[in-house]
């Protein structure tokens, strides 16, 4: 066996292109991620770019939009037109049209987005239209949504007739984008060019950038002309899109065969041409490994690089292994594929990154089986044996795929009994598909520097690391890799940065398991993650801590201290927070920690590193004034002076032992499954630990104590006026109010606060406002809204922020005690008055939404008012993420076990999803009433009639009906007829149930509008709550039709020129829809009223709720003031349209806003989304602002006139 | 009749100059000021804090919440360039210079020595004819002596002065233990003019909401006495030009200031209250008064009733104060207990 660099003959050892960078002057080298790499080419080769945001592809569209905004030209000297559509289906439609009309057009998408494009993809392919869709491949929502990477989406589109070309790395994402474009033009087959979501789309790497000349040289202009000449034109008209009958369709379908037969050859030819131009050699299938390999893995995507590394390692150990990289998956060239299999092959494992339940095997596996079978059948085999072929699944939903797993598969291929449909990377204890492997096997070569950084989203860790990568990537010949693992929580998000630096190209497409350098940027993270597992023996550990090098041992968790000693780590501390504060940099410790990294990692010598950092500082902050530059430069020097090595401790027994992350009191499932996920050990959970159908318990967020807040609100009962506003606005349901009999106070903890409830109707009730100290995010919205000031010291209110740590223990006890106090009887609470209504128990608590979120208070209110009888259909978006992102959910239940039943279907179909729930409830209630009538003799006529006639308008009514339903069930249990048994299962449907459809503006105004409109038109009793942030918040702030004029958003980088769609007005035109527009921060009682009225209305209701958002660029602590300004300037009107009022001849429309008393300018100046435009394009901003003011004035007059209209009764 | 005056080495058609105010943020207003007869315009102030923090604040807003959550790594498109306060201001100077013929003076407002001072150079490069440096410092530190306070003013001034070649005027407040000495020190340090006085926006208390409010009050005609006093005192004793500001509403107010020794009189509250055309009204009034009283030029009346040139120099001093009180008492018949 020999390693040979000669790649000319496929039976020798062949190695794929390593993408060796040439640092010659004519080559441009740059640091970027896979999305930018693909978009770089796509933008230059297209005229029309139709986009829609979806993770992880969104940034490709964002780049295209920004470039177009900056008037960057494509290779033909034109600025492409970038258009955001209402959905991916819309984007695909635009593409189809643009292509038919002769333009070069492209799009970027992922997952459900690609699925929405499929109908048009069939047509585009059927019409032999050259085009490339660039896809950051991602899982598809099944038992749960996953934003992470696998090939489920592209595999779902594999029958559309699109060619499919897969790139494995950032360099390839750029190269294959070009190869796909060129091949599509020549073959007339449209291409899906895809790469692994996150792993490649978000990995940062140093690559050779294709120049415009490179791109031009690869595109044959006559082919572009030919495409153009096929355009539909009235100057030489033809028709397409005919409908064909049985006599013609089949034959027509076969006309395309020769194009697909030629497809692979064309791609090969273009790859050859690409090699000549760039020196990088690719093939449709590539073999990498021993010439005499007996065991072969076939795979596609970034995993191929991991397998390649493993192959090299195993060959060096004398093993006979090989790898076939599949690059062109469609059209699948059977002969070419078969020809590349080494003749010595005995066993082949085909890896698929998708799951096709119920199939004979996953797609790539089936293709390989087919290829081998055909070859043997047709007798063109060169193989010495008929190899055994097995298929396996790996990496689904971004599950890691490591060299250890690749080795495990090779090991298995050497065994006698092969698993035909295996999984790798998980433990399947149910159907036993999983292969065992030695997880300790690692391929990290010593010459690669590996560094891990644990930080919080807010501290700049990722930005600092991106800077470090730039410094090293651009100033040295090192290859670099940056991969960042983000949190699934929005508030208090943790980031882990994985950085590799190497003198040779880096192929490792997996996380770092053995780092030489590990930095913990936030001491609290030490308690939550066993991060030192990932440092190698003798490595370096840097900790940001307020404790000095002499004292630090006292404060380390025992397990951490033990690892430092056992692994003989070089251990350093720095108090970066203090340094940052002292240098006027607030919480931004990025520059400090970056400096320490360079000082300790020795990647560059100190002098060079410092020069690099300082250069970067000037580049980043230079334009921001010399003060900021000076500040950062000074902190660099200070960092070096304050970095201290920690000496070994004298004794070990003083170490702190950590409390378990999840309380022992938690239910078994929470403890053993969710708790493991909370602790970051979810990967180790076996298949059997998980529910098979995606059903999870509610009420789990309370077990995940995250202790995010540095400061929490503390109640001063003397000052408090008991208005309830703090609890009303609390986005995380951590401020709770209870009234109760003072008798319960006998066992109260010492510091538990209580006072008399000041309400004449509730004599002798005690009153407490209690904060959940470990769940609070410290957003301080409650303090901002508190109207009660301390008369002796006006800076103090009834709620004041105080440091959490000293209060943690005592407030934890108080909170636990508070929870033992009984909930007040809901029937006695008047829900129309906030201070009373807020006594209702929230059934939505401790969500992972951003600190200070503007959406969650509305959901909490919904849960308080109707939570014990509501089904919630939640559109995909922020609310589905903080509402249903494992491990825990904020939706919970009350002591009786009742609470919201929640589900998320899709982004686009939420209203329909909710309507389905409604129809089902109606049907079951009807059936129950029918059965009840039938059984009335056995149950008792009077009792049955009482149930059937029970009104259910208020809490008391509903309670009464519940009692009756319970009594009915008791009676039914004694009966044995089939009807009685059936009614027993349906009895609860006799109690009123509500359906609330919840989603953001992206859903309601754009992608789901058609459904929303239709469901409103059905007149069914479905309630819709639109959490209007005026932007696609979850995917990072892209424009929606709810985005106001003049706001800067992604896809509206130059400020949105058009005005906001008036969804409420459109809904009102139906006449029978309850419509309200609310803004909690402006008039809370109007919000409450609207929720109550919407629920009470026997028909469709629509509440559009203004929700401030981090994407507005505002101070979240005082965000309610922004809401107030939005209303007072007329940007957001408050109103209610209640068709019930018209029944009596009145005017159904009530305008709750007063005439605008402030100019829009005032509101605009409070929010970065508007301010930015002034800073980018002052003239345009001025023009738009003027227009907005005119819009507002007009709108106000229109609405005012509507409110003044007399009802029909008065007209008569 | 010659209404011209000299200020900061420039010959101005009249002594009527709109002072730094938000009015000059609008280019159209600057044109209107010229049309109404303003002989120069002082632009609105660019604040040290704006220079220091505005871009950082924007930057922070753009960066907030970024790189934390996998679906939304950022929340805003990153524009190639921001035009934050400073650039906007420079553009404004350029545009103002293109739009009007009268001199344009920029205004920088600050209270500490720092990197922001470099910006003076860019103001010069943008074409400003002069720079008014408004030093606005509220010394609340118990340990700080009066001398140290004065030094802060001088350090800032020197740093700015050494950065530019265009003339630099200093606008300051009257709250010094020794106003005359302060004026002299600035004069010695090379100040081309003193602008008297700065108006501190003193806060108010809102008793309903229990908040401290900082709302701006327009100056009243009475406010003119303070600058009048000090211009009268300083005239002829320092080399720097003198600009009067605060409480100038009418032609008579202008005349008083000129007679006390001002090179120019600056208008702000009057323009807010009565509109920009007020400049024309005042100029006409000035012209008419001078005609009626047979003055040939502004230069002729300038400093004519300053302490140095008036017939009763003590009128500017303490002795006169006692007499004034006596006179007030007898004229208004105030009784011993203070009530009439």
């Amino acid at each position: 066996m020999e390693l040979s660099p000669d790649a000319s003959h496929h039976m020798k050892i062949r190695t794929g292109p390593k993408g060796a960078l040439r640092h010659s002057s004519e080559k441009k080298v740059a640091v970027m991620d896979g999305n930018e790499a693909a978009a770089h080419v796509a933008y230059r080769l297209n005229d029309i770019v139709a986009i829609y945001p979806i993770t992880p592809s969104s940034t490709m569209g964002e780049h295209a939009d920004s470039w177009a905004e900056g008037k960057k030209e494509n290779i033909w000297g034109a600025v492409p037109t970038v258009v955001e559509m209402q959905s991916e289906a819309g984007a695909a439609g635009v593409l189809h049209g643009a292509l038919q009309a002769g333009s070069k057009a492209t799009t970027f998408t992922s997952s459900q987005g690609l699925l929405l494009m499929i109908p048009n993809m069939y047509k585009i392919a059927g019409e032999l239209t050259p085009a490339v869709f660039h896809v950051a491949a991602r899982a598809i929502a099944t038992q749960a949504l996953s934003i992470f990477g696998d090939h489920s989406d592209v595999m779902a589109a594999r029958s559309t007739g699109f060619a499919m070309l897969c790139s494995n790395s950032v360099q390839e994402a750029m190269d294959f984008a070009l190869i796909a474009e060129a091949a599509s033009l020549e073959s007339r087959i449209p291409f899906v060019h895809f790469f692994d979501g996150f792993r490649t789309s978000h990995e940062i790497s140093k690559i050779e950038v294709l120049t415009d000349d490179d791109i031009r040289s690869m595109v044959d202009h006559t082919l572009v002309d030919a495409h153009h000449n096929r355009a539909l034109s009235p100057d030489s008209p033809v028709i397409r899109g005919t409908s064909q009958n049985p006599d013609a369709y089949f034959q027509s379908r076969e006309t395309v065969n020769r194009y697909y037969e030629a497809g692979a050859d064309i791609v090969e030819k273009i790859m050859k041409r690409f090699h000549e131009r760039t020196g990088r050699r690719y093939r449709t299938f590539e073999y990498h490994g021993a010439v005499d390999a007996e065991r072969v893995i076939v795979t596609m995507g970034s995993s191929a690089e991991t397998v390649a590394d493993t192959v090299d390692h195993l060959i060096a150990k004398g093993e006979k292994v090989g790898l076939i990289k599949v690059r062109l998956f469609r059209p699948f060239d059977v002969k070419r594929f078969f020809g590349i299999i080494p003749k010595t092959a005995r066993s082949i494992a085909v890896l698929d990154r998708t799951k096709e339940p119920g199939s004979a095997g996953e797609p790539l596996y089936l293709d390989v089986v087919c290829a081998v079978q055909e070859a043997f059948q047709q007798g063109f085999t060169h193989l010495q044996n008929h190899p055994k072929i097995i298929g396996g699944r790996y990496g689904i939903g971004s599950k890691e795929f490591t060299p250890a797993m690749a080795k495990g598969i090779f090991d298995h291929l050497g065994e006698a009994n092969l698993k035909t449909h295996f999984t790798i990377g998980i433990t399947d204890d149910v159907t036993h598909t999983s292969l065992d492997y030695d997880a300790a096997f690692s391929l990290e070569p010593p010459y690669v520097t590996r560094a891990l950084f644990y930080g919080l989203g807010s501290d700049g860790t990722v930005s600092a690391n991106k800077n470090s990568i730039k410094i090293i990537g651009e100033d040295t010949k090192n290859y670099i890799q940056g991969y960042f693992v983000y949190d699934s929580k929005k508030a208090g998000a943790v980031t882990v940065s994985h950085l590799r630096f190497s003198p040779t190209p880096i192929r490792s497409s997996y996380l770092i398991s053995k780092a030489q350098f590990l930095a913990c940027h936030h001491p609290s993270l030490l308690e939550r993650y066993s991060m030192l597992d990932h440092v190698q023996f003798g490595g370096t550990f840097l900790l940001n801590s307020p404790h000095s090098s002499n004292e630090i041992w006292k404060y380390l968790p025992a397990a951490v201290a033990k690892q430092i000693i056992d692994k003989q780590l070089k251990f350093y501390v720095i108090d970066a927070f203090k340094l940052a504060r002292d240098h006027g940099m607030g919480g931004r410790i990025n520059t400090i920690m970056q400096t320490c990294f360079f000082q300790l990692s020795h990647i560059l010598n100190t002098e060079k590193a410092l020069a690099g950092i300082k250069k970067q500082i000037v580049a980043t902050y230079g334009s921001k004034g010399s003060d900021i530059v000076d500040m950062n430069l000074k902190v660099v020097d200070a960092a070096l002076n304050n970095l201290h090595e920690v000496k070994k401790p004298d004794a070990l027994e003083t170490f702190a032992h950590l409390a378990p992350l999840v309380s022992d009191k938690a239910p078994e499932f929470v403890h053993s499954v969710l708790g493991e996920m909370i602790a970051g050990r979810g990967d180790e959970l076996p298949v059997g630990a998980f529910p098979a159908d995606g059903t999870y318990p509610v009420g789990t967020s309370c077990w995940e104590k995250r202790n995010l807040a540095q400061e929490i609100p503390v109640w001063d009962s003397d000052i408090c006026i008991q208005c309830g506003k703090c609890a009303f606005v609390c986005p995380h349901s951590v401020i709770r109010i209870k009234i109760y009999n003072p008798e319960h106070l006998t066992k109260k903890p010492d510091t538990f606060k209580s006072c008399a409830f000041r309400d004449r109707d509730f004599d002798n009730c005690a009153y407490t406002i209690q904060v959940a100290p470990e769940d609070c995010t410290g957003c301080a919205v409650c303090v901002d809204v508190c109207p009660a000031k301390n008369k002796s010291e006006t800076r103090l209110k009834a709620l004041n922020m105080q440091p959490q740590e000293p209060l943690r223990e005592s407030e934890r006890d108080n909170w636990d005690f508070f929870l033992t106090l009984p909930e007040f009887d809901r029937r006695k609470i008047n829900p129309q008055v906030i201070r009373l209504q807020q006594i209702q128990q929230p059934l939505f608590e401790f969500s992972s939404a951003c600190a200070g979120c503007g959406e969650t208070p509305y959901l909490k209110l919904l849960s308080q008012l109707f939570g014990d009888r509501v089904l919630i259909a939640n559109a995909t978006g922020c609310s589905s993420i903080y509402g249903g992102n494992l491990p825990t959910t904020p939706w919970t239940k009350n002591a009786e076990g009742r609470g919201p039943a929640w589900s998320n279907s899709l982004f686009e179909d939420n209203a329909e999803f909710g309507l389905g729930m409604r129809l089902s409830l109606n049907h079951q209630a009807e059936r129950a009433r029918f059965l009840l009538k039938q059984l009335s003799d056995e149950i008792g006529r009077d009792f049955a009639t009482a149930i059937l006639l029970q009104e259910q308008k208020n809490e008391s009514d509903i309670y009464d009906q519940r009692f009756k339903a319970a009594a009915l069930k008791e009676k039914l249990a004694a009966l044995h007829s089939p009807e009685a048994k059936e009614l027993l299962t349906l009895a609860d449907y006799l109690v009123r149930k509500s359906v609330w459809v919840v989603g953001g503006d992206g859903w309601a105004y754009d992608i789901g509008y058609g459904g929303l409109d239709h469901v409103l038109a059905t007149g069914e009793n479905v309630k819709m709550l639109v959490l209007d942030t005026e932007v696609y918040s979850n995917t990072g702030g892209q424009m929606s039709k709810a985005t106001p004029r003049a706001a800067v958003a992604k896809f509206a980088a130059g400020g949105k020129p058009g005005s906001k769609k008036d969804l409420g007005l459109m809904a009102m035109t139906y006449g029978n829809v309850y419509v309200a527009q609310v803004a909690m921060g402006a008039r809370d009682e109007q919000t409450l009223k609207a929720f109550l009225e919407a629920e009470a209305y026997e028909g469709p209701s629509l509440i559009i709720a203004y929700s401030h958002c981090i994407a507005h660029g505002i101070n979240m602590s005082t965000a309610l003031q922004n809401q107030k300004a939005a209303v007072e300037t007329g940007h957001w009107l408050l109103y209610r349209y209640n068709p019930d009022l018209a029944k009596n001849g009145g005017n159904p429309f009530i305008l709750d806003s007063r005439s605008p008393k402030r100019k829009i300018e005032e509101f605009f100046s409070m929010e970065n989304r508007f301010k930015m435009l002034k800073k980018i394009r002052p003239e345009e901003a001025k023009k738009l602002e003027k227009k907005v003011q005119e819009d507002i004035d007009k709108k106000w007059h229109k609405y005012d006139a509507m409110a003044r209209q007399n009802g029909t009764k008065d007209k008569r | 009749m010659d209404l011209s005056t000299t200020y900061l080495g420039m010959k101005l058609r009249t002594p009527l100059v709109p002072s730094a105010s938000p009015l000059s943020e609008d280019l159209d207003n600057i044109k209107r000021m010229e049309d109404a007869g303003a002989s120069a315009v002082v632009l609105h102030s660019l604040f040290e804090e704006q220079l220091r923090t505005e871009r950082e604040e924007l930057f922070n807003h753009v960066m907030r919440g970024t790189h934390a959550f996998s679906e939304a790594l950022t929340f805003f498109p990153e524009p190639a360039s921001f035009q934050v306060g400073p650039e906007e201001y420079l553009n404004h100077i350029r545009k103002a210079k293109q739009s009007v013929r009268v001199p344009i003076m920029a205004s920088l407002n600050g209270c500490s020595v720092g990197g922001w001072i470099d910006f003076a150079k860019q103001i010069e490069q943008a074409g400003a004819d002069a720079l008014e440096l408004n030093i606005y410092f509220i010394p609340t530190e118990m340990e700080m002596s009066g001398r140290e306070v004065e030094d802060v003013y001088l350090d800032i001034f020197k740093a700015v002065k050494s950065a530019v070649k265009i003339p630099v005027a200093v606008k300051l407040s009257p709250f010094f233990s020794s106003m005359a000495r302060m004026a002299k020190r600035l004069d010695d340090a090379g100040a081309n003019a003193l602008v008297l006085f700065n108006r501190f926006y003193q806060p108010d208390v809102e008793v309903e909401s229990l908040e401290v409010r900082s709302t701006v009050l327009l100056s009243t005609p009475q406010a003119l006495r303070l600058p009048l006093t000090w211009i009268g005192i300083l005239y002829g004793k320092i080399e720097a030009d003198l600009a009067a500001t605060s409480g100038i509403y009418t032609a008579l107010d202008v005349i008083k200031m000129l007679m006390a020794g001002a090179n120019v009189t600056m208008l702000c509250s009057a323009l807010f209250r009565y509109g920009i055309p007020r400049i024309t009204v005042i100029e006409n009034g000035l012209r008419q008064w001078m005609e009626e009283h047979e003055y040939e030029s502004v230069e002729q009346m300038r400093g004519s009733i300053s302490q140095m040139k008036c017939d009763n120099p003590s009128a500017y001093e303490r002795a006169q104060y006692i007499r004034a009180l006596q006179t007030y008492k007898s004229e208004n018949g105030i009784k011993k207990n203070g009530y009439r």
Side-chain angles (χ1 to χ4, degrees), chain A residues 961-1121:
Chain A
Q961 185 74 334
R962 272 201 196 121
F963 287 130
K964 287 185 188 130
L968 173 66
K969 283 200 273 187
E970 262 177 49
K971 287 181 189 239
L972 288 169
L975 302 177
H976 301 290
S977 68
E979 288 84 2
K981 280 185 179 148
E982 189 186 350
L983 183 54
L984 188 59
T985 65
L986 293 174
D988 285 332
Y989 289 95
L990 294 164
V991 182
R992 182 187 174 113
K993 290 187 174 44
S994 312
V995 173
W996 279 77
V997 171
V998 172
D1001 47 282
W1003 157 68
Y1005 287 67
D1006 289 354
I1007 196 168
Y1009 176 69
L1012 177 139
D1013 175 64
H1014 193 84
V1015 171
L1016 291 178
T1018 62
E1020 288 291 340
N1021 193 355
V1022 176
K1023 315 300 172 194
M1024 310 219 202
L1025 172 60
V1026 180
L1027 301 163
D1028 192 347
T1029 61
E1030 309 195 313
V1031 75
Y1032 286 84
S1033 297
N1034 193 49
T1035 45
Q1038 294 85 358
M1039 164 179 74
S1040 78
K1041 283 200 287 299
T1043 303
R1045 203 197 289 278
V1048 168
K1050 288 179 187 164
F1051 302 166
K1056 189 180 175 216
S1059 67
K1060 181 185 173 103
K1061 161 170 161 178
D1062 194 340
L1063 182 64
L1065 193 62
M1066 293 166 96
M1068 279 186 261
T1069 58
Y1070 280 113
N1072 65 337
V1073 179
Y1074 178 90
V1075 185
Q1077 207 163 270
V1078 304
M1080 165 174 288
R1083 283 186 63 188
D1084 43 16
E1085 76 280 12
Q1086 189 255 359
T1087 301
L1088 179 58
K1089 218 180 267 178
F1091 272 74
L1092 290 167
E1093 289 175 357
E1095 170 74 11
Y1097 180 65
E1098 295 290 340
S1101 299
L1102 175 69
I1103 295 182
I1104 308 168
Y1106 185 89
S1107 306
H1108 61 254
C1109 178
I1110 187 165
H1112 294 174
I1114 56 170
N1115 180 350
M1116 295 291 274
S1117 303
T1118 52
L1120 293 178
Q1121 294 175 25

Side-chain angles (χ1 to χ4, degrees), chain A residues 471 598-599 604-614:
Chain A
I471 292 170
F598 276 111
Q599 175 71 3
L604 302 176
N605 68 44
T606 309
E607 229 167 81
K608 203 167 172 191
L610 289 183
I613 294 171
K614 289 182 175 176

Side-chain angles (χ1 to χ4, degrees), chain A residues 55 147 202 457 466 486-487 495 588 623-624 626-627 789 1034-1036 1050 1111 1113-1114 1168 1172 1175 1179, chain B residues 52 54-55 58-61 64 67-68 70-71 73-77 82-83 88 95 115 209-211:
Chain A
T55 307
I147 59 164
H202 282 54
K466 285 186 174 172
Y486 301 100
D487 210 318
T495 61
R588 284 208 321 272
S623 52
K624 291 160 192 82
S626 53
D627 283 324
K789 283 198 174 182
N1034 193 49
T1035 45
K1050 288 179 187 164
I1114 56 170
N1168 198 45
M1172 250 179 101
K1175 308 304 172 190
E1179 297 297 319
Chain B
R52 220 191 262 284
E54 190 175 13
R55 190 192 287 265
L58 260 174
F59 177 75
N60 281 345
H61 271 308
R64 180 169 299 166
H67 300 301
S70 39
E71 296 208 62
L73 297 184
T74 60
F75 287 98
F76 284 101
F82 274 138
Q83 296 221 348
E88 261 176 78
K95 282 189 191 148
S209 64
L210 302 181
E211 280 169 9

Side-chain angles (χ1 to χ4, degrees), chain A residues 535-557:
Chain A
V535 198
Q536 69 180 33
F537 188 86
T540 301
F541 174 43
L542 168 64
L543 176 65
N544 170 27
S545 166
H547 306 298
S548 73
S549 56
N550 298 325
E551 290 198 310
I552 185 69
W553 292 105
K554 273 191 264 176
Y555 299 94
L556 288 178

Side-chain angles (χ1 to χ4, degrees), chain A residues 1167-1183:
Chain A
E1167 312 215 336
N1168 198 45
R1169 56 178 170 154
F1170 301 110
K1171 266 199 291 196
M1172 250 179 101
L1173 190 59
K1174 281 192 187 170
K1175 308 304 172 190
I1176 311 168
R1177 295 172 161 192
E1179 297 297 319
E1180 182 71 8
K1182 221 177 196 176
K1183 259 186 245 160

Side-chain angles (χ1 to χ4, degrees), chain A residues 49-292:
Chain A
V49 185
I51 52 180
Y52 190 77
I54 184 162
T55 307
S57 68
S58 305
T59 43
M60 289 189 273
E62 288 164 15
H63 280 302
D65 182 57
S66 290
W67 292 330
E69 168 63 20
K71 303 279 176 253
K72 189 180 242 188
E73 294 173 349
N74 63 19
I75 62 162
W76 298 291
V79 176
T81 301
V82 180
V83 57
E84 183 195 8
M85 293 305 296
Q86 87 285 9
S87 72
E88 288 89 351
V94 165
L95 282 190
H96 189 194
L99 292 165
Q100 282 298 316
S103 283
K104 292 272 294 110
T106 191
T107 188
F108 314 106
T109 196
S110 296
S111 190
Q112 317 291 139
L114 187 66
L115 266 54
L116 282 175
M117 293 182 173
I118 285 177
N120 259 305
M121 290 172 73
Y122 275 97
K123 298 211 54 107
I124 291 167
E127 290 160 348
L128 292 172
T129 319
V132 181
F133 289 16
H134 301 272
V135 175
R138 162 183 157 180
I140 288 172
T142 48
Q143 85 286 353
L145 171 145
S146 164
I147 59 164
F148 293 101
D150 66 33
H151 300 162
S152 306
D153 51 4
V154 284
M155 286 305 172
R158 72 182 189 278
S159 60
T160 55
F162 267 57
M164 293 188 163
L165 186 66
C166 178
S167 48
N168 301 350
S169 66
V170 178
Q171 180 72 62
E172 291 182 18
M174 180 174 286
D175 294 350
F176 286 17
L178 179 54
I179 289 166
E181 289 278 3
S184 184
L185 277 168
E186 187 160 345
S187 66
R188 292 192 60 185
I189 303 171
F191 272 61
V192 164
H193 162 232
F194 71 100
F195 40 86
D196 289 342
F198 283 107
R199 187 63 248 184
T200 305
S201 67
H202 282 54
E203 177 181 310
I204 295 181
S205 183
K206 179 156 86 173
I207 63 164
E208 220 169 70
V209 177
L210 294 170
T211 63
D212 284 7
D213 284 340
D214 289 334
I215 296 171
R216 267 188 217 105
S217 76
M218 290 294 297
V219 176
D220 182 346
H221 203 84
T222 58
L223 295 172
V224 179
D225 287 344
H227 168 65
H228 187 72
N229 290 338
R230 289 190 292 269
L232 287 174
S233 162
D235 296 327
S236 54
V238 291
I239 67 164
R240 288 196 192 110
T242 57
S243 72
Q244 297 178 341
N245 301 307
D247 57 342
Y249 184 85
F250 192 173
Q251 303 94 301
S252 303
R253 200 73 197 92
E254 297 300 323
T255 56
V256 299
N257 294 354
R258 57 198 175 90
Y259 291 88
Y260 287 86
E261 282 160 10
D265 287 340
I266 290 171
V267 175
E268 278 287 348
K269 190 176 83 187
I270 284 166
M271 284 176 161
K272 191 159 173 272
R273 220 162 74 213
F274 186 85
H275 175 226
E276 285 156 12
R277 174 82 197 179
T278 65
R280 291 190 290 282
R281 185 71 179 102
Y282 302 111
R283 291 195 167 82
T284 51
F285 301 107
E286 265 163 39
Y287 181 73
H288 179 97
V291 283
D292 54 354

Side-chain angles (χ1 to χ4, degrees), chain A residues 892-965:
Chain A
T892 188
K893 54 189 178 185
N894 62 20
E896 290 84 51
R898 291 196 181 85
W902 181 95
S903 185
N904 157 244
S905 172
L906 296 170
F907 195 11
E908 60 270 23
D909 72 342
N910 196 39
E912 299 92 315
F913 187 46
L915 177 65
M917 292 178 177
R918 180 76 264 166
L919 297 178
S920 172
L921 290 172
N922 292 354
H923 182 81
Q924 288 168 102
E926 248 344 284
R927 179 77 185 158
R929 296 167 76 83
F930 170 78
L931 291 169
L932 186 59
K933 281 179 203 160
Q934 278 209 326
L935 292 166
S936 65
D937 286 341
E938 288 148 84
I939 294 162
R941 259 170 206 279
D942 291 349
F943 181 55
T945 311
I947 296 177
L948 291 168
L949 295 182
Q950 172 70 49
E951 279 224 7
Q952 297 193 58
K953 293 220 168 205
N954 57 37
E955 287 292 323
S956 283
D957 294 347
I958 290 167
Y959 267 63
D960 288 350
Q961 185 74 334
R962 272 201 196 121
F963 287 130
K964 287 185 188 130

Side-chain angles (χ1 to χ4, degrees), chain A residues 21 111 123 157 187 208 222 257 322-323 345 437 478 504 517 566 777 811 824 849 857 969 978 1020 1066 1083 1158 1211:
Chain A
L21 301 185
S111 190
K123 298 211 54 107
S187 66
E208 220 169 70
T222 58
N257 294 354
L323 156 75
Y437 65 95
N478 275 298
T504 60
F517 178 91
D566 291 351
T777 64
E811 287 306 307
F824 201 76
K969 283 200 273 187
E1020 288 291 340
M1066 293 166 96
R1083 283 186 63 188
R1158 295 155 75 181
K1211 269 182 193 161

